[in-house]
Amino acid sequence: MSEWKQTACNLCYVNCGVEVQLGGEGEREIVKVRGDKAHPKSQGYICNKAARLDFYQNSAARLQHPLRRRQDGSFEQVSWETAIAEIAAKLQAIKEHHGGERIFYYGGGSQGNHLGGAYGSSTLGVLGVKYKGNALSQEKTGLAWVFSRMLGACPHAEIEKAQTVMFLGKNPFMSNGMNQARNFLRAIAKDASRTLIVIDPRRSETADYADIHLAVKPGRDAWCLAAIIGRIVQAETLPLAWLSEHTSGCEKVMAKFNAIPVAQYARFAGLEPEQVNEVAAVIARSTSFATEEDIGVQMAPHSTLVSYLNMLLSLLTGHFGRPGTLAIPVQLVDILPVDRFGELDENDKEVSRRQLPVTKAPIHSNMYPGNYLAEEILNDSDERPRAIVIESSNPVHSLAQADKLRRAIRSLECSVAIDIAMTETARECDYILPASTQYEKWEATYFPRNFPENYFHLRPPVIAPLPGTLPEAEIHARLVEALGYFADGELDELHEAAAAGIETYRDVFFNAVMGNPKIKKAISYVLYRTLGPTLPEGKATTAAVWGLCQVFAMTYPEYVAKAGFTGPAAATALFNTLLDSPSGAVIAVASHADTFKRVPFPDHKIRLVIGELFEELDELQRLRPLVDTSTEYPFALVAGSRRAYTANCAIRDPRWAKGKAATALTIHPDDAQRLNIPDGARVTLKTKGGQAEARVAYDERLHPGTLSVPNGQGMHFEDEAGKPVDSGVYANELTSSDHRDKFIGTPLHKFVPANIYISEA
C-alpha cells in the first residue's frame, strides 16, 4: 500500500483537503481516505462521503478513448487526431456560416475539476463563443444579481464568528457546503452565548442543533422573511446612524416594511406571530449576525426575491464590515462572478439587460439560465444555436425536462462532450472526448471564499492518467491548433522568453498581450504552450495559474503582501508557493476596515433597493402562493434533496450509497397512512412533466404534504455483468423547464406539484 498523498474531495464546493492511500493493480485504487490536517480550512475534517471517492475515480462508466456517433446512433472509437480534426472543422464551418455566437457552451469544471475550465476559455475565444452557462446559472445567479446590485461584490458571511447564525434552505449537516460543517454545528449548539436559527419546512438534521427552528410552509419563505424584517422595522430597532452613513435607500425600505402586516404574513407562512417576533428580537439585539442560504430556497418559489430579503435582513440591521458579519473576500478567481448591470432608472430598475437572442432570457454574471437552453435551440429562428460544447457537466441530468434537452442536443449540427464518464449528456452528443480525472492531473479548487484569510489549493496528480485520456488543457490546446488560430512562428518570442526564465517571460508576455489582440482571446492556451513546457516536469497545466497569480498580485497588492508575498516578484513567489503546497496556501489577507472601501459604487454605499424586487414585494400582499398544489397534484415534491449519501453527479455508481432508503422517495407517515401506502411500498410518482417508479420510505421530519427524492440519482449505470443497477428517481424526467423564477430563470425544483399511487403489480 502506498504512502499518504495530499489532494482534495470533489463531492461538494468546499473541497476539503484529504489524504489518500492507493492500492490495487498499478496502485490505481483509492483504498483509504482521511482528512488532511495541514489544509488551511478543513484542518483534518471530512464527512462520510469522502471515504467513497474511489467510486468516482474507478467508475465502470469511465471513458478511455474518443467516440464519434454513427448514423444509427451508436458510437465508434476514433483516434484523437480524427476527433480533434473533425470537431474543429465542424465548429469552424458553423462560425463561418452563422457566426461564433451560434456555438453555445455549458460547463467548465465540475466540483474540484476547475483548472480544465480555465483552458476552455481559449477555445471559446478563438471560436467567438458568446453564450455560456453552467450549473451555477441554474442555482446561484439570482443570488449573484442581488449581491451585485446591493454591494457590487460577492460577500462572505462570517458564520464562524457570528453571535447569531441563520441558515435558510440549507442543511449543512447533510450537504456540508461550509467549512467543517458538523464541527460547527456541535460547537454552536454547546455555546450558550450564541444562537442558531434554521428556516426549513423539514425538521432537518441541522435543525436538531438549532435554538430556533421556523418550520415555514413550503414555498412561503418570502412571507416569513418579509415578516421578520417588518417586525424589526416596526419595533424601531434599526441602527439609523449606521444606515445613514453607509447605505442608500433606507427611508424607502423602512416605509415599505412599516406597512407589512407582520402577524398576517407570519400565519400565511405557517408560523405563529410570536415565533417571528422572537427571531426578529434575537437578530436586532445581536452584536453580530450572519446568514447563509442554499438551493433549498434558490430553487424554490420566489427564489430571487428570497435572496434579496435574506441579504436585506443582514444589511438593514447593520451586520456588514465587522467580525461575524458580511465581508467582501479576496479571491484568485470569482467563481460566482459579479453581475455587471448597467444604468438604473428613477425606480432603481435596470434600463437594459443582455439577453439570449431567441428566448430573450436574461443573462446574469455572463451566464445564460440553463432552463432556457432547450427552448433556445428548438425553433426555426436564424439566431438559434447550431452547436454546443459541454464540458465536465451533465445538463441532461441536472436541468429540467431532460427529454426536451435530449431532443435539443440531437437537433444541433455539432455537439461535443468533454468528460471523464459516459454521462446522460454525453450519450446525446456527436463526439465524446475523454478527460483525465481530478486525481490524474494537476487540479485546483476555485470555490474558497473566506475572510479575512483566503486560500487556494493547487494540487498535483496522485494517480497516473488512464491511457487514452487527456487533461482538458491538452484537449483545448489541440482544438485551438486545429482551428489554425496562430500562424507558424507567431509565438516564437514567448517560447524564447520562457526558455530564458520565468521573470524574463513575465515582461515579454504582458507586452505580447498588449500588442497582439489575438493573444487576449487565447491566453490560457498561450501560457500552456509557451510557459508550460519550461515548468518543472509534469506541471505544464499549471501555467494558467501563473497568469492568474500575476493579475491577482497586481489587483490586490496590499492583501497579497499581508499573506507574505511582496516586491516585484510577489506573483511568481505566490505561484511557486502554490506549486509547493499540496495542502493549499493562504494567498491574501483582507481586513474589516477595508470592507466599505471595496464596495465599488462611487459613494461606497450599500444600495438597499433593487427596484424590480422591491416592486415584487407588493405581490406578497395578495397572500397567494406563487406555486401551489391542487386536487390532481396535492403534494409538493422536493426534486433533489441532500442526504447522507447524495452529492453531485461525480459518483455515478449507486452502490456507493449506504442504507436501504438512500435513494427512496420519502413521505410523512401521516400522509402515507392516509393513502394506505406502507413503508417500503413501490409507488408511482407523477407530475405534469412525467412519472417514475420509486420505493417509499417514511420520514417524520418532512412537512406534511411534501414528498422528497434525493439529488444525483437516476443515472444510467451497469454493473460488471452489464446489468442495469437501480439508481433511484431521475428527478428531471419529472420537472418542467418553464417552472422557473420570473427574474433569473432558475428552476423551482424544490416545489413541484406531484401525486403518488401504489404501483400496480
Side-chain angles (χ1 to χ4, degrees), residues 54-356:
D54 193 60
F55 283 90
Y56 157 81
Q57 171 59 33
N58 288 298
S59 168
R62 278 293 302 274
L63 296 164
Q64 300 185 44
H65 40 70
L67 298 173
R68 178 178 61 194
R69 184 180 299 282
R70 297 187 181 99
Q71 284 289 99
D72 64 2
S74 63
F75 286 99
E76 61 182 338
Q77 179 179 344
V78 295
S79 68
W80 274 104
E81 292 75 16
T82 297
I84 294 292
E86 291 184 5
I87 291 168
K90 290 185 177 183
L91 294 179
Q92 184 66 29
I94 290 170
K95 178 184 178 182
E96 291 174 357
H97 287 93
H98 304 288
E101 64 271 21
R102 301 286 82 85
I103 303 170
F104 273 40
Y105 180 78
Y106 193 92
S110 62
Q111 301 285 16
N113 273 55
H114 297 126
L115 199 49
Y119 285 100
S121 63
S122 287
T123 300
L124 305 187
V126 169
L127 288 169
V129 173
K130 186 177 180 181
Y131 301 109
K132 296 170 282 187
N134 61 35
L136 291 173
S137 64
Q138 74 150 349
E139 297 174 359
K140 303 294 184 183
T141 41
L143 175 63
W145 187 48
V146 166
F147 68 60
S148 300
R149 290 282 295 273
M150 300 182 85
L151 296 170
C154 180
H156 168 69
E158 251 190 319
I159 61 172
E160 296 86 355
K161 298 178 183 177
Q163 180 190 25
T164 299
V165 174
M166 187 173 82
F167 291 135
L168 180 66
K170 185 179 182 71
N171 183 14
F173 187 90
M174 285 299 186
S175 64
N176 293 284
M178 57 175 287
N179 293 320
Q180 302 184 43
R182 296 188 180 183
N183 288 350
F184 168 83
L185 291 172
R186 296 184 188 105
I188 197 170
K190 292 178 181 178
D191 192 337
S193 67
R194 303 179 71 191
T195 302
L196 175 61
I197 302 165
V198 172
I199 301 178
D200 198 313
R202 182 175 178 270
R203 195 183 79 247
S204 67
E205 293 76 10
T206 297
D208 289 342
Y209 292 85
D211 299 283
I212 303 172
H213 172 215
L214 296 184
V216 63
K217 199 167 184 178
R220 303 192 186 182
D221 303 89
W223 285 273
C224 172
L225 290 175
I228 293 171
I229 297 172
R231 176 61 182 174
I232 291 172
V233 171
Q234 293 166 29
E236 299 182 346
T237 55
L238 296 179
L240 297 180
W242 185 92
L243 290 168
S244 176
E245 181 181 0
H246 295 299
T247 71
S248 64
C250 176
E251 296 81 3
K252 194 172 180 179
V253 170
M254 290 174 63
K256 177 73 73 174
F257 284 91
N258 260 317
I260 291 288
V262 173
Q264 191 178 32
Y265 276 25
R267 292 191 180 97
F268 188 73
L271 307 169
E272 292 300 321
E274 291 75 16
Q275 294 176 285
V276 166
N277 294 346
E278 179 187 11
V279 169
V282 168
I283 295 171
R285 66 172 178 260
S286 296
T287 56
S288 58
F289 169 66
T291 172
E292 281 204 355
E293 63 178 64
D294 215 328
I295 57 177
V297 291
Q298 291 164 350
M299 286 187 168
H302 289 299
S303 61
T304 305
L305 177 61
V306 169
S307 291
Y308 171 59
L309 291 170
N310 192 35
M311 188 72 68
L312 184 63
L313 180 58
S314 287
L315 298 174
L316 191 63
T317 51
H319 293 293
F320 179 81
R322 292 179 286 105
T325 67
L326 286 174
I328 299 176
V330 179
Q331 294 178 267
L332 191 64
V333 177
D334 291 324
I335 198 71
L336 184 56
V338 172
D339 184 60
R340 303 300 178 188
F341 59 93
E343 181 185 352
L344 303 178
D345 65 16
E346 66 277 7
N347 295 313
D348 294 297
K349 295 182 180 180
E350 293 178 5
V351 173
S352 62
R353 163 63 57 176
R354 188 176 164 222
Q355 300 174 324
L356 285 178

Side-chain angles (χ1 to χ4, degrees), residues 397 637-638 640-647 651-667 680-683 685 692-698 707-715 725-731 734:
H397 185 270
L637 170 67
V638 178
S641 61
R642 296 297 178 94
R643 300 183 187 171
Y645 284 96
T646 64
I651 296 182
R652 299 188 59 81
D653 189 338
R655 295 172 297 184
W656 85 291
K658 293 183 178 181
K660 64 178 182 179
T663 63
L665 180 156
T666 52
I667 185 173
R682 193 77 179 174
V683 298
L685 171 64
E693 299 295 306
R695 190 72 63 183
V696 157
Y698 288 179
L707 306 170
S708 175
V709 293
N711 69 307
Q713 307 302 307
M715 292 179 283
V725 179
D726 182 13
S727 59
V729 175
Y730 189 163
L734 308 174

Side-chain angles (χ1 to χ4, degrees), residues 305-432:
L305 177 61
V306 169
S307 291
Y308 171 59
L309 291 170
N310 192 35
M311 188 72 68
L312 184 63
L313 180 58
S314 287
L315 298 174
L316 191 63
T317 51
H319 293 293
F320 179 81
R322 292 179 286 105
T325 67
L326 286 174
I328 299 176
V330 179
Q331 294 178 267
L332 191 64
V333 177
D334 291 324
I335 198 71
L336 184 56
V338 172
D339 184 60
R340 303 300 178 188
F341 59 93
E343 181 185 352
L344 303 178
D345 65 16
E346 66 277 7
N347 295 313
D348 294 297
K349 295 182 180 180
E350 293 178 5
V351 173
S352 62
R353 163 63 57 176
R354 188 176 164 222
Q355 300 174 324
L356 285 178
V358 179
T359 61
K360 307 304 178 185
I363 293 174
H364 292 275
S365 297
N366 201 33
M367 294 181 282
Y368 61 81
N371 279 295
Y372 283 88
L373 179 57
E375 189 178 339
E376 189 77 13
I377 295 170
L378 293 172
N379 59 80
D380 296 327
S381 171
D382 289 339
E383 295 186 298
R384 71 185 186 277
R386 305 298 179 124
I388 193 166
V389 177
I390 302 169
E391 182 172 11
S392 297
S393 194
N394 190 5
V396 169
H397 185 270
S398 61
L399 296 181
Q401 210 166 340
D403 185 59
K404 186 176 180 180
L405 189 54
R406 286 192 192 98
R407 288 187 284 112
I409 293 174
R410 287 289 188 103
S411 74
L412 293 166
E413 296 173 29
C414 181
S415 53
V416 181
I418 301 172
D419 215 314
I420 70 164
M422 178 61 87
T423 66
E424 287 66 33
T425 300
R427 292 176 185 277
E428 307 307 320
C429 290
D430 300 323
Y431 294 89
I432 307 172

